[in-house]
Amino acid sequence: MIHRPITDRASALAVRRELQARATQRGVALGEPPAEPDNCCDSGCEAACVWETFYAEMGYWRDESLLRLKD
């Protein structure tokens, strides 16, 4: 699950929980994950939605976190 693309809120939250649990177990400090957007207009954007930006940012955070957790 960790390496799959992040395309929805549920997968973003699952990735965040899993990586934060791993970090806690190993005593590794991770950077702060991106904040969930609170300004979605629910209009079915044709352009990039704030959620798409959030998912991309979560993917970057995931990759950076995995580098920090690497043995």
Side-chain angles (χ1 to χ4, degrees):
M1 164 145 230
I2 274 287
H3 298 288
R4 291 184 186 163
I6 298 171
T7 58
D8 57 50
R9 184 174 183 266
S11 63
L13 295 177
V15 165
R16 184 173 68 195
R17 276 192 307 270
E18 184 173 338
L19 289 174
Q20 288 176 327
R22 286 185 193 183
T24 298
Q25 289 173 342
R26 296 181 187 182
V28 174
L30 299 180
E32 194 67 30
E36 287 186 53
D38 60 0
N39 58 341
C40 179
C41 63
D42 289 322
S43 67
C45 301
E46 290 185 27
C49 176
V50 294
W51 284 101
E52 291 173 6
T53 302
F54 170 70
Y55 302 144
E57 290 172 351
M58 277 299 296
Y60 178 79
W61 179 83
R62 175 200 55 212
D63 295 345
E64 290 296 312
S65 297
L66 288 171
L67 286 173
R68 290 183 184 197
L69 291 167
K70 203 171 193 178
D71 294 328

